[in-house]
Amino acid sequence: MTTKRREFLQAVGAAGAAAALPGCATMGGSSGKVVVVGGGYGGATAAKYIRMWSDGGIDVTLVEPNPEFISCPLSNLVLGGSKTLAGITVSYDNLARRHGVKIVKDMATSIDTDKRMVKLAGGGELPYDRLVLSPGIDFMFDKVPSLNNADAQAKVLHAWKAGPQTVALRNQLAAMRDGGVYVLSIPVAPYRCPPGPYERACQVAWYFKQAKPRSKVLILDGNGDVTSKGPLFKKAWAEEYKGIVEYRANHVLTDVDVATLTAKFEVQDSVKADVLNVVPPQRASAIARSAGVVTTNDRWCDVDFLTFESVKVKNVHVLGDSIQIAPGMPKSGHMANQHAKVCAAAVVALLAGQAPNPTPVLTNTCYSFITDKDVVHVCSVHQYDREKKTLVAVPGAGGVSPAMSEIEGLYAFAWATSIWADTLA
Ligand SMILES: Cc1cc2nc3c(=O)[nH]c(=O)nc-3n(C[C@H](O)[C@H](O)[C@H](O)COP(=O)(O)OP(=O)(O)OC[C@H]3O[C@@H](n4cnc5c(N)ncnc54)[C@H](O)[C@@H]3O)c2cc1C
């Protein structure tokens, strides 16, 4: 067994991932240039696996402006106070050192898909044979007009991209008086990480229970009901956080009053907060528009699920939160990692003149922290259906926790450590 093959098998095992692979782990004979835009869960994984599975034959350049990877998964624990930002930050160094990925610390500003060229904010240009876009999401601030400027966004935070806003929201919560109200506005689905807002409510409630017991968490959900793990979250709010968390459905946010921290809704009365946290509606990140791959509702990118190549633009693959999801598929880091492996295998095969695997299978597990230790999960398996030409959830192959438990807390931390290693080590 070659070292590369052994490394690959270990990596797949470590992530518990059953992403679709071609018949062999590496494919000698693949060559060419791949540019990956975005070093998050999708892009970093794709960059590493294309290098590994082509036995170093494909030249891979990863474009990412951030100096380090900061994980959204576990970032709600920073709000609760049981984790720090440093504890969810991972270096990009191993991608370059161990895998030979060329890392360019820059922002892609436009894509010329005819010339197959990526233009960078710093003035450089990168040619490609195949382009992989995993740029995540942009916020549709035009749907919350008063938030459509930098000053307002510095006061009413989203903290829906882990980083400085996560720390700033934690500071707002720490500065809030005991007896204050934290209001969390959730957009209508689809949005990044369906259970994430409800986990956030639990983490803030956990913090209030320890440090500010007279304070309240008010969830104002644009959806008609909790969109993921509903019975488990509702049980936690009724029991663990009785008298702290209140949930209200059907609250579609139309605007905010930034000066008074007031949220305004389509139908319901306005609500004033002490800390107002708005998760705005989302769409594929701007660079996807430049590449011309946004196809659904002027928001998301449709892909061929055998390769994750855009249905509209040849040689451009799109991963992660930017895509128009298949039925039952969440916008999650685990899913982005799985998209990346299917795409990496396909890119390696295509650049070697071979057909991609016709039957990919992807898995997903999303853990949610109810307290600092007690966790619940939802998991699913998604298999390619040749007739429907999409990925479908395999009946009976997934499920949810019967109840929160500390053992699942250990699994959740192990999941995070494994997927960070699988993506970046
Ligand atoms: C609070 C919270 C909790 C979550 N918890 C979980 C969880 O427990 N489990 C789970 O699986 N998922 C979770 N998620 C969801 C997960 O974070 C996302 O689904 C995942 O990050 C999507 O991966 P991605 O590659 O599409 O985007 P990202 O990981 O966001 O990566 C996009 C990258 O692209 C870069 N980029 C953007 N535009 C450009 C450009 N023009 N040029 C260069 N680079 C660019 C960005 O800097 C960024 O690094 C959570 C999300 C949140 C907000």
Side-chain angles (χ1 to χ4, degrees), residues 91-136:
S91 166
Y92 283 118
D93 288 355
N94 280 332
L95 286 184
R97 201 162 41 81
R98 289 195 185 154
H99 302 288
V101 175
K102 294 172 184 157
I103 298 179
V104 174
K105 190 173 163 301
D106 208 336
M107 191 83 183
T109 48
S110 67
I111 314 280
D112 184 330
T113 53
D114 291 332
K115 291 188 183 146
R116 296 196 199 169
M117 191 73 79
V118 178
K119 293 195 174 146
L120 304 175
E125 292 188 333
L126 297 170
Y128 64 82
D129 296 307
R130 288 194 174 259
L131 173 65
V132 178
L133 295 178
S134 193

Side-chain angles (χ1 to χ4, degrees), residues 36-44 63-66 69-76 92 106-109 134-138 159-162 192-193 196-197 199-200 285-287 319-322 331-337 364-368 415 419:
V36 180
V37 173
Y41 275 92
V63 184
E64 167 61 53
N66 293 323
F69 171 99
I70 305 179
S71 174
C72 283
L74 300 195
S75 67
N76 284 328
Y92 283 118
D106 208 336
M107 191 83 183
T109 48
S134 193
I137 47 149
D138 275 355
W160 216 241
K161 293 184 182 183
R192 160 175 284 184
C193 193
E199 178 191 61
R200 174 168 293 184
S285 213
I287 195 66
L319 313 175
D321 289 353
S322 288
K331 290 187 183 292
S332 75
H334 196 148
M335 214 70 253
N337 167 281
N364 184 75
T365 305
C366 279
Y367 291 100
S368 298
W415 172 89
I419 200 161

Side-chain angles (χ1 to χ4, degrees), residues 100-425:
V101 175
K102 294 172 184 157
I103 298 179
V104 174
K105 190 173 163 301
D106 208 336
M107 191 83 183
T109 48
S110 67
I111 314 280
D112 184 330
T113 53
D114 291 332
K115 291 188 183 146
R116 296 196 199 169
M117 191 73 79
V118 178
K119 293 195 174 146
L120 304 175
E125 292 188 333
L126 297 170
Y128 64 82
D129 296 307
R130 288 194 174 259
L131 173 65
V132 178
L133 295 178
S134 193
I137 47 149
D138 275 355
F139 299 107
M140 298 165 74
F141 285 114
D142 53 316
K143 302 280 180 204
V144 194
S146 300
L147 276 189
N148 211 356
N149 65 81
D151 287 348
Q153 287 166 31
K155 196 165 174 206
V156 177
L157 305 170
H158 54 77
W160 216 241
K161 293 184 182 183
Q165 283 228 350
T166 314
V167 176
L169 181 56
R170 168 67 191 172
N171 291 342
Q172 286 187 354
L173 294 166
M176 193 186 87
R177 70 187 165 93
D178 189 7
V181 181
Y182 161 76
V183 171
L184 172 59
S185 164
I186 304 174
V188 174
Y191 58 86
R192 160 175 284 184
C193 193
Y198 312 110
E199 178 191 61
R200 174 168 293 184
C202 291
Q203 285 307 299
V204 175
W206 181 79
Y207 167 58
F208 286 171
K209 201 171 166 180
Q210 329 291 316
K212 307 183 187 219
R214 291 186 295 123
S215 306
K216 302 272 180 259
V217 173
L218 179 53
I219 308 167
L220 300 175
D221 195 341
N223 298 285
D225 202 352
V226 176
T227 61
S228 177
K229 305 177 213 174
L232 291 165
F233 282 120
K234 286 178 183 170
K235 188 169 162 38
W237 301 333
E239 295 174 6
E240 188 73 24
Y241 300 121
K242 189 170 168 21
I244 300 179
V245 176
E246 183 184 338
Y247 176 80
R248 296 184 197 164
N250 296 313
H251 277 65
V252 179
L253 191 76
T254 52
D255 206 0
V256 296
D257 183 329
V258 178
T260 59
L261 298 182
T262 301
K264 302 175 185 176
F265 302 95
E266 250 171 31
V267 180
Q268 281 79 7
D269 291 343
S270 298
V271 175
K272 192 177 167 337
D274 292 278
V275 172
L276 180 57
N277 178 195
V278 171
V279 180
Q282 296 148 34
R283 58 157 55 116
S285 213
I287 195 66
R289 311 173 81 72
S290 163
V293 292
V294 177
T295 41
T296 289
N297 297 335
D298 200 26
R299 287 174 78 181
W300 310 113
C301 310
D302 286 87
V303 295
D304 172 350
F305 285 108
L306 287 180
T307 58
F308 286 82
E309 188 170 14
S310 162
V311 296
K312 197 165 159 219
V313 183
K314 287 271 146 230
N315 305 307
V316 179
H317 302 251
V318 192
L319 313 175
D321 289 353
S322 288
I323 71 162
Q324 168 68 4
I325 44 179
M329 176 185 276
K331 290 187 183 292
S332 75
H334 196 148
M335 214 70 253
N337 167 281
Q338 298 276 290
H339 298 169
K341 288 177 185 170
V342 174
C343 173
V347 164
V348 171
L350 290 167
L351 287 175
Q354 298 189 19
N357 176 16
T359 51
V361 180
L362 295 77
T363 61
N364 184 75
T365 305
C366 279
Y367 291 100
S368 298
F369 281 79
I370 303 294
T371 69
D372 61 331
K373 294 187 189 68
D374 299 285
V375 164
V376 293
H377 82 271
V378 59
C379 64
S380 51
V381 178
H382 306 260
Q383 189 167 33
Y384 190 76
D385 184 309
R386 287 186 203 198
E387 278 174 21
K388 293 182 182 152
K389 291 193 172 11
T390 188
L391 291 159
V392 294
V394 178
V400 293
S401 312
M404 71 176 190
S405 66
E406 280 196 22
I407 186 80
E408 287 213 34
L410 299 179
Y411 296 157
F413 285 124
W415 172 89
T417 311
S418 299
I419 200 161
W420 295 341
D422 187 47
T423 304
L424 296 154

